[in-house]
C-alpha cells in the first residue's frame, strides 16, 4: 500500500461558476450565431429576388388580361355581302372577301356609324389635334403672332388645312432659300433671299419673325455670312414653319380606311364563319366588342406618348390618337376582361392571339404523362425494390436510372426525334408528328426516372414490420406488396408523380424537336377519347416563348407574362394537389 500524496503538492485548479460560459463555449455559440445569420441572409436574398420576379410577372400579366375594345353596332349590310341583291345564302357568304367585304365594308361602315351616332365629328376632332400640335411647335419658335388667326379659323372650319399649310409652307420655304443663300458666298443673292423671307413672313403675319430675319440681314458682308447662317438656323423658324405646314396637310389624309385601322378588322374569318353558320343575321345589327389596334393599346396604356410623328408606329398618327380620346370620352372604347385569350389560337396579331390550343395541348400531354409514367414507373419501382435479384445487372440499372434523372431534357427530345425518324420508314410520321400523344410519350420518358426514384424511396419508408407481419400470417410477396405496402406508400408515390408532371409541364426543348410547335396550325382539340390525342397541338412553353419574341410591346411585355401566370397557376395547383394527397393518405408511425 502506497502513501497518499500530500494535498498541498497537487496543482491548484481555477474554480469557475457553472453559470459562466467558458471561452470554448462562447466560440461555439459565436460560430452558431454566424451560421444562423448567414442562413437567414441567404433565405432573405432568395425571397427578395423571388418576390421581384413574381411582382414583375404579375404587375404586367394581370393588367394585360384586360383588353381595350371598341363597342360598336355591327350592321351586316346585305348590299355589301351580296352586291347582286336578293337573298344572301351561306355559300355566297363563304365567298365574301375578307378585305373588301368585312375589313373595309362591314367593320368600317359600322364603326363610322357608331361614332357618328355618338355625336363625334371625325374631321373636326382630327383637325383640332393637328392644330394643337402645330400651335405647340410654332409657340416654341415665337411664331404665334401670325399663327393664331389661321389656326383658329381652321378649328372653326372657316379654312381648310391645305390653305393654312400653304401659308406656313411659303414662309418656311422662303426661310429655307435664305438659309441656302447664306451658306454660299454671294452677298447679293443672300440679301435678295433675306428680303424675300422678310416679305413672306410679314405677309403671313409673322411680324416678330420678320424682325428677327431683318436684324440678321442688316449690314451683312461676305465675312459675316457664316455667322448670319448660324444665327438664322438657331432661330428655328424654318423647321417650325415647315413642320407645322406638314401637320396641316395630315387631316385631309385621315379617311375611312384610317378610321377603320383603329380596330382589328383584318382577316376576320371568324366573323364570316359566324355569318355562314347564322345567315339569318344578314340585315340585322348586333352590338359587339371589337379589339382596338395594338398601336392604339400602346397609347391607351401610356407606353406611346404621341408627341410627334417620329414616335408613331407605321400607319399611325395624331388623328388616331385624337379619335381614341374622343371615343374613350364617348364611352365607345372600354376595357373588358379578355376571356378569348384562353380560347383563341396563337397569332402574330396581338389583338386576337390566345393560348387555347396550347393550354389544351399541355393538359393532354400531362394526361399521357400521368398514365405512362405512373403505370410503368410504379411497376419498375416495385420490381426493382421487391422482386429483382440483387446482382451487378440490377445495380447497373439502378445507377443508370439515377443518371437519367440528371440528363438534360433536350436529350429526350433527340430520342423522340429518333422515334420520328424510325416511324418515317413506316410511313406514319405525318399522323403522329406534333401530337399530344407523341409529346406526352417523350415527356414520360423524361419523367420516369424521377418517379422511379420517388416511388422506391416511398416503398423503403414503409416499416419492415408491415412486410414481415403480412408474410408472417401467410400472405405471398405479391399480396404483401399490393395489399399492405403499396397503399401505405401511396402518398409518397403520388407526390413524386405530381412533382414529375409539374416538371414536365414547363419543358420546351423536347417538344420543339418532335415538331410540337405553333407552326402546326393547331386548333382546339377534341376529346381525348375521340381522337384528340392524335390531333396537331401546341404547348404552353413554346407559346410563351413566341409571345415574348413578339414585336409589339403589349404582347411581349404583357400577354407573355399572362401566359406565364397561367403556367404558374397550373404548377401551384399541381403542388397543392400533391400536398393534399400526402396529408390525406399519410400515416405516422
Amino acid at each position: 500500500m502506497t502513501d497518499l500524496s500530500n494535498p498541498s503538492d497537487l496543482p491548484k485548479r481555477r474554480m469557475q461558476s457553472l453559470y459562466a460560459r467558458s471561452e470554448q463555449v462562447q466560440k461555439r455559440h459565436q460560430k452558431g450565431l454566424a451560421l444562423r445569420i448567414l442562413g437567414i441572409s441567404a433565405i432573405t436574398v432568395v425571397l427578395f429576388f423571388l418576390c421581384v420576379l413574381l411582382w414583375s410577372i404579375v404587375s404586367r400579366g394581370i393588367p394585360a388580361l384586360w383588353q381595350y375594345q371598341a363597342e360598336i353596332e355591327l350592321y351586316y349590310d346585305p348590299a355589301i355581302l351580296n352586291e347582286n341583291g336578293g337573298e344572301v345564302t351561306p355559300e355566297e357568304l363563304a365567298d365574301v372577301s375578307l378585305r373588301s367585304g368585312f375589313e373595309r365594308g362591314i367593320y368600317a361602315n359600322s364603326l363610322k356609324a357608331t361614332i357618328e351616332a355618338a355625336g363625334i365629328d371625325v374631321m373636326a376632332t382630327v383637325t383640332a389635334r393637328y392644330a394643337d400640335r402645330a400651335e405647340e411647335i410654332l409657340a416654341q419658335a415665337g411664331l404665334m403672332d401670325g399663327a393664331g388667326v389661321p389656326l383658329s379659323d381652321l378649328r372653326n372650319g372657316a379654312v381648310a388645312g391645305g390653305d393654312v399649310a400653304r401659308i406656313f409652307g411659303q414662309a418656311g420655304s422662303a426661310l429655307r432659300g435664305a438659309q441656302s443663300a447664306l451658306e454660299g458666298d454671294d452677298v447679293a443673292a443672300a440679301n435678295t433671299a433675306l428680303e424675300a423671307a422678310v416679305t413672306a413672313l410679314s405677309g403671313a403675319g409673322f411680324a416678330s419673325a420678320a424682325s428677327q430675319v431683318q436684324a440678321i440681314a442688316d449690314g451683312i458682308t461676305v465675312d459675316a455670312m457664316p455667322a448670319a447662317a448660324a444665327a438664322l438656323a438657331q432661330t428655328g423658324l424654318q423647321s417650325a414653319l415647315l413642320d407645322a405646314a406638314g401637320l396641316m396637310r395630315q387631316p385631309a389624309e385621315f379617311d375611312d380606311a384610317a378610321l377603320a385601322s383603329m380596330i382589328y378588322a383584318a382577316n376576320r374569318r371568324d366573323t364570316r364563319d359566324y355569318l355562314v353558320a347564322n345567315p339569318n343575321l344578314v340585315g340585322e345589327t348586333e352590338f359587339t366588342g371589337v379589339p382596338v389596334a395594338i398601336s392604339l393599346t400602346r397609347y391607351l396604356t401610356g407606353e406611346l406618348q404621341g408627341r410627334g410623328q417620329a414616335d408613331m408606329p407605321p400607319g399611325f398618327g395624331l388623328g388616331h390618337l385624337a379619335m381614341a380620346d374622343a371615343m374613350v370620352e364617348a364611352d365607345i372604347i372600354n376595357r373588358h376582361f379578355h376571356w378569348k385569350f384562353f380560347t383563341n389560337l396563337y397569332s402574330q396579331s396581338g389583338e386576337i392571339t390566345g393560348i387555347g390550343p396550347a393550354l389544351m395541348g399541355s393538359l393532354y400531354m400531362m394526361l399521357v404523362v400521368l398514365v405512362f409514367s405512373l403505370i410503368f414507373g410504379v411497376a419498375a419501382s416495385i420490381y426493382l425494390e421487391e422482386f429483382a435479384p440483387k446482382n451487378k445487372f440490377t445495380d447497373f440499372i439502378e445507377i443508370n436510372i439515377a443518371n437519367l434523372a440528371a440528363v438534360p431534357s433536350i436529350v429526350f427530345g433527340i430520342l423522340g426525334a429518333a422515334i420520328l425518324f424510325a416511324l418515317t420508314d413506316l410511313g406514319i410520321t405525318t399522323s403522329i408528328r406534333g401530337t399530344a400523344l407523341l409529346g406526352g410519350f417523350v415527356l414520360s420518358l423524361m419523367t420516369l426516372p424521377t418517379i422511379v426514384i420517388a416511388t422506391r424511396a416511398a416503398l423503403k419508408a414503409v416499416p419492415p414490420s408491415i412486410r414481415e407481419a403480412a408474410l408472417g400470417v401467410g400472405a405471398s410477396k405479391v399480396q404483401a406488396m399490393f395489399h399492405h405496402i403499396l397503399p401505405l406508400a401511396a402518398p409518397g408515390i403520388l407526390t413524386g408523380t405530381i412533382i414529375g408532371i409539374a416538371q414536365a409541364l414547363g419543358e420546351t426543348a423536347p417538344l420543339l424537336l418532335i415538331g410540337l410547335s405553333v407552326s402546326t396550325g393547331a386548333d382546339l382539340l377534341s376529346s381525348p377519347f375521340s381522337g384528340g390525342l392524335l390531333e396537331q397541338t401546341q404547348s404552353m412553353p413554346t407559346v410563351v416563348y413566341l409571345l415574348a419574341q413578339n414585336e409589339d410591346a403589349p404582347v411581349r411585355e404583357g400577354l407573355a407574362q399572362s401566359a406565364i401566370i397561367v403556367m404558374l397557376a397550373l404548377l401551384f395547383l399541381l403542388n397543392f394537389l400533391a400536398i393534399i394527397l400526402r396529408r390525406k393518405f399519410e400515416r405516422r408511425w
Side-chain angles (χ1 to χ4, degrees):
M1 184 174 179
T2 60
D3 295 335
L4 293 175
S5 300
N6 188 355
S8 60
D9 296 335
L10 295 176
K12 295 183 179 180
R13 300 180 60 183
R14 184 167 58 91
M15 304 300 293
Q16 183 175 355
S17 173
L18 295 177
Y19 296 99
R21 292 179 178 178
S22 65
E23 185 177 348
Q24 291 182 342
V25 173
Q26 289 179 352
K27 289 182 178 180
R28 288 201 302 268
H29 280 278
Q30 290 174 356
K31 291 180 179 179
L33 179 61
L35 288 175
R36 285 197 298 271
I37 294 175
L38 183 62
I40 294 174
S41 300
I43 294 174
T44 303
V45 171
V46 171
L47 289 178
F48 171 75
F49 284 108
L50 178 61
C51 291
V52 170
L53 176 62
L54 290 177
W55 172 250
S56 65
I57 294 174
V58 172
S59 61
R60 296 178 181 181
I62 295 298
L65 291 174
W66 272 262
Q67 184 185 54
Y68 284 99
Q69 296 180 359
E71 299 173 356
I72 65 177
E73 296 181 2
L74 203 60
Y75 176 55
Y76 303 110
D77 192 351
I80 296 176
L81 298 175
N82 186 3
E83 297 178 354
N84 299 324
E87 183 179 357
V88 184
T89 63
E91 291 75 15
E92 292 173 335
L93 289 172
D95 295 332
V96 176
S97 169
L98 293 176
R99 185 170 181 82
S100 61
F102 288 92
E103 179 182 358
R104 297 183 177 178
I106 299 295
Y107 279 93
N109 294 345
S110 299
L111 176 62
K112 186 175 181 180
T114 302
I115 290 174
E116 292 175 350
I120 300 175
D121 189 332
V122 176
M123 189 51 62
T125 302
V126 172
T127 301
R129 176 60 66 91
Y130 280 106
D132 292 343
R133 180 57 183 155
E135 185 174 344
E136 293 178 9
I137 294 174
L138 294 173
Q140 292 176 357
L143 292 166
M144 281 308 299
D145 54 348
V149 174
L151 292 177
S152 178
D153 292 341
L154 178 64
R155 293 188 180 96
N156 296 331
V159 295
D163 298 333
V164 180
R166 192 176 303 109
I167 296 173
F168 297 160
Q170 288 175 351
S173 298
L175 286 170
R176 182 168 55 190
Q179 185 73 41
S180 300
L182 287 172
E183 293 173 355
D185 54 4
D186 191 340
V187 176
N191 281 320
T192 302
L194 287 170
E195 290 177 4
V198 171
T199 302
L201 290 170
S202 300
F206 300 109
S208 176
S211 300
Q212 287 181 271
V213 177
Q214 185 62 53
I216 295 174
D218 290 340
I220 190 169
T221 62
V222 175
D223 296 335
M225 285 178 63
L232 183 60
Q234 191 174 3
T235 62
L237 299 175
Q238 173 190 329
S239 59
L241 286 168
L242 294 179
D243 289 346
L247 290 172
M248 294 298 94
R249 298 187 184 96
Q250 295 300 317
E253 299 179 4
F254 194 86
D255 53 9
D256 290 346
L259 183 64
S261 66
M262 295 181 62
I263 60 175
Y264 183 79
N267 299 322
R268 293 311 298 260
R269 194 170 281 103
D270 56 338
T271 305
R272 186 173 64 182
D273 295 341
Y274 177 63
L275 282 179
V276 170
N278 302 275
N280 58 307
L281 291 176
V282 176
E284 300 292 331
T285 300
E286 191 174 33
F287 191 77
T288 185
V290 182
V292 301
I294 199 69
S295 299
L296 202 59
T297 300
R298 293 176 57 192
Y299 171 68
L300 295 173
T301 54
E303 179 201 346
L304 185 65
Q305 299 299 324
R307 299 297 302 168
Q309 189 61 41
D311 302 330
M312 300 291 182
F316 210 68
L318 293 176
H320 295 85
L321 307 188
M323 287 304 303
D325 292 337
M327 292 169 69
V328 170
E329 185 177 353
D331 206 31
I332 296 176
I333 293 181
N334 291 290
R335 294 187 72 184
H336 299 275
F337 191 79
H338 193 11
W339 291 106
K340 290 187 177 181
F341 177 71
F342 300 96
T343 57
N344 283 357
L345 314 182
Y346 171 79
S347 173
Q348 290 287 348
S349 301
E351 298 91 341
I352 60 169
T353 192
I355 60 171
L359 184 58
M360 292 188 67
S362 292
L363 293 177
Y364 277 30
M365 283 186 285
M366 295 307 102
L367 177 63
V368 174
V369 171
L370 177 63
V371 173
F372 275 94
S373 298
L374 189 61
I375 294 177
F376 292 103
V378 173
S381 301
I382 292 175
Y383 174 76
L384 291 174
E385 191 65 29
E386 298 292 334
F387 300 101
K390 303 302 179 182
N391 51 37
K392 292 184 178 181
F393 180 70
T394 55
D395 292 341
F396 176 77
I397 292 177
E398 292 178 1
I399 292 174
N400 279 276
I401 289 176
N403 291 335
L404 284 174
V407 169
S409 59
I410 195 171
V411 175
F412 294 96
I414 296 173
L415 177 60
I419 296 174
L420 274 180
F421 297 150
L423 293 177
T424 301
D425 299 334
L426 301 177
I428 59 175
T429 304
T430 55
S431 62
I432 195 173
R433 182 179 185 272
T435 61
L437 180 62
L438 181 59
F441 177 71
V442 172
L443 293 178
S444 298
L445 295 178
M446 186 192 72
T447 310
L448 267 175
T450 302
I451 295 179
V452 169
I453 293 173
T455 302
R456 294 190 65 186
L459 292 174
K460 290 179 180 178
V462 177
S465 57
I466 302 294
R467 180 185 296 102
E468 295 169 359
L471 296 175
V473 296
S476 64
K477 292 188 66 174
V478 174
Q479 290 174 327
M481 170 57 61
F482 287 96
H483 294 173
H484 302 279
I485 301 174
L486 192 61
L488 296 176
I493 295 173
L494 292 176
T495 301
T497 302
I498 294 175
I499 291 176
I501 292 174
Q503 175 191 0
L505 179 62
E507 291 296 336
T508 307
L511 304 180
L512 292 176
L513 286 176
I514 60 173
L516 200 144
S517 65
V518 296
S519 61
T520 56
D523 203 339
L524 295 178
L525 301 179
S526 306
S527 168
F529 305 105
S530 61
L533 294 176
L534 294 175
E535 296 177 3
Q536 298 291 303
T537 187
Q538 302 171 347
S539 66
M540 284 294 297
T542 53
V543 171
V544 168
Y545 171 76
L546 290 174
L547 288 173
Q549 299 299 314
N550 196 284
E551 60 181 5
D552 295 318
V555 180
R556 182 177 64 252
E557 300 176 3
L559 293 179
Q561 317 300 322
S562 302
I564 292 175
I565 289 176
V566 174
M567 288 189 62
L568 288 176
L570 291 176
L571 291 175
F572 287 147
L573 181 62
L574 288 173
N575 283 275
F576 179 74
L577 180 61
I579 294 173
I580 294 299
L581 291 176
R582 172 175 283 277
R583 290 188 175 182
K584 181 176 179 61
F585 297 105
E586 187 177 25
R587 292 188 181 182
R588 298 187 180 274
W589 312 102

